[in-house]
Amino acid sequence: QVALVESGGGLVQTGGSLRLSCAASGRTFSTYGMGWLRQPPGKEREFVAAISWNGDRTSYADSAEGRFTISRDIALYLQMNSLKPEDTAVYYCAATGRGFSNYNYAYGYWGQGTQVTVSS
């Protein structure tokens, strides 16, 4: 099992940047594929980015491609640049034992989420 805690959210203006972090506890963190997903207000949770257990594969939603970067070492990160108001959401980090996935249902472990608000 793995426990996840996100941090780094906040309020930022359009065009600004934020770096989200996800601290993981548990010896098996390095064996899990990891992802960032978000839930905009009034909408369903959606995929943002994923990274394989060893970091050699990454995948991004179209909305994140070219602006966001997912990475990992002893923690998981999401560097978000050129932020837009439509990026406003609660951001969750999640772990999957399936290696690598772009789908919400594949993730069995979730953090509590961190709020990102982008003002126009």
Side-chain angles (χ1 to χ4, degrees):
Q1 289 190 340
V2 60
L4 305 169
V5 179
E6 303 94 336
S7 61
L11 174 64
V12 64
Q13 292 185 334
T14 296
S17 297
L18 282 175
R19 189 190 194 211
L20 305 184
S21 298
C22 176
S25 62
R27 297 180 182 178
T28 58
F29 167 69
S30 62
T31 67
Y32 283 92
M34 299 295 297
W36 287 98
L37 301 99
R38 68 186 183 187
Q39 187 162 17
K43 297 184 179 180
E44 294 186 351
R45 197 170 297 185
E46 62 187 27
F47 169 76
V48 177
I51 189 166
S52 59
W53 69 274
N54 62 356
D56 68 344
R57 291 180 63 195
T58 58
S59 178
Y60 296 91
D62 289 345
S63 59
E65 188 75 55
R67 299 187 300 126
F68 294 2
T69 303
I70 189 171
S71 61
R72 68 186 298 170
D73 47 34
I74 60 170
L76 179 71
Y77 308 98
L78 185 68
Q79 177 66 42
M80 305 187 294
N81 299 326
S82 303
L83 283 162
K84 306 173 182 180
E86 51 263 46
D87 294 318
T88 295
V90 177
Y91 284 72
Y92 299 88
C93 72
T96 176
R98 301 190 185 192
F100 186 85
S101 180
N102 291 10
Y103 298 100
N104 293 7
Y105 64 77
Y107 290 89
Y109 302 99
W110 295 80
Q112 83 289 349
T114 186
Q115 176 70 47
V116 170
T117 302
V118 184
S119 64
S120 57

